[in-house]
Amino acid sequence: MLSSRFKNDGKSIYKLNEIQLQAKADIELKIEKEQYKFEEINCSSCGSKSYELLAEKDRYGLKYYTRICKDCGFVYVSPRMTEESYAEFYNNEYRKLYVGENIASEKFYEDQVFRGKRIFQFINSHYELNNKKLDILEVGCGAGGILSVFKENGHNITGIDLGEEYLNYGKEKHKLNLIKTSLKDIDENYKADIIIYSHVFEHILNLEKELNTIKEHLKENGIIYIEVPGIKYVHKTYEMNFLKYLQNAHVYHFSLNSLSRILQKNNFNLVYGDEQIRTIFKLKIDIEDKVFKNEYSTVLEYLTKIEKMRVFNIFRFKKIRWKIKKLFLKLIFK
Ligand SMILES: [Zn+2]
């Protein structure tokens, strides 16, 4: 384990509001009653059984076993909840626990729009988006804020999600084309130029199955945009706190290397990507396969390093820095 604070003690690292506390209690009870079942898996990237345990709980204090594969360095969750249990979790507790709200709000939508602008710019710098009318599909679109940016720029948008409440918000309030369905159940003739997965891919249990379905709905020169929280980017996004990064809905933790490896295995090549992780992949056309390195030591070293540095990192935050400054001034000028 990375350190003793990753032990399964049931404690949340965040102060939870009442809605979140209730959702957490509901999940814990369902786990105890075995309504939520767990399954053991091998490394989803290389198939190896050899691993090291990094953590036993997530940021909310829920039981959550994060492993690193010794043979390729992929970080994944096992034992993890089964597909059925996750489906029930998404229907009942997910938004309550993660957003702390029962219903979609304009703030949630505005946050999506903000992210949509960044995604649009990112894709546009690697794949010409202007002066075209493209078919854009977003899987796991929530209220559809990301897609609204593409719509404003003249593209045909389709958003799919299973969370009805958020979908309805985007449909009714913002007149977006959003459908309650999953990718496997979408109209079989539907094909997109761009398929977007923004903070969705790390939730998908069966990646191979998903990538095969993507192939059926991607036009010949189409691309997929995948954005996930990068495991080598925790120092910039989660206040250098790996425990804040761990959340029970995420079953995989990707680096650019591990994501590209899984995609390549399923016939997709990386067009562009960074460790943040924002990536563009294209169906493979006779390009030589890249050989991927075992990242076990580099990922483990990185996580160990940020765990040690975390203590110093709090000084980076203005509030605390200001408080210390004031304290000094007080001592000097008293
Ligand atoms: Zn592996």
Side-chain angles (χ1 to χ4, degrees), residues 39 46 48 74 81 111 131 149 160 163 198-199 217 222 244 259 265 277 284 289 322 334:
E39 63 183 1
C46 76
S48 170
F74 187 40
M81 281 205 291
D111 284 347
N131 306 317
V149 179
I160 58 171
S198 174
H199 292 264
H217 296 289
K244 286 191 175 172
L259 180 65
K265 242 174 50 185
I277 280 171
K284 201 151 54 175
D289 278 356
W322 176 238
K334 214 171 188 179

Side-chain angles (χ1 to χ4, degrees), residues 43 45-48 69 71-72 74:
C43 170
S45 180
C46 76
S48 170
C69 170
D71 289 317
C72 76
F74 187 40

Side-chain angles (χ1 to χ4, degrees), residues 110-145:
E110 287 301 327
D111 284 347
Q112 283 200 307
V113 175
F114 177 74
R115 275 168 46 208
K117 286 179 184 160
R118 288 179 48 197
I119 293 171
F120 186 89
Q121 275 171 6
F122 182 87
I123 297 178
N124 198 30
S125 55
H126 304 283
Y127 185 91
E128 184 59 46
L129 283 172
N130 292 321
N131 306 317
K132 283 183 189 167
K133 201 175 175 69
L134 301 173
D135 292 312
I136 318 277
L137 171 71
E138 186 185 359
V139 179
C141 64

Side-chain angles (χ1 to χ4, degrees), residues 235 239-241 309-317:
H235 62 292
E239 299 156 24
M240 215 177 257
N241 192 337
M309 293 295 291
R310 193 180 61 89
V311 189
F312 301 105
N313 190 52
I314 54 165
F315 292 111
R316 277 180 49 200
F317 295 102

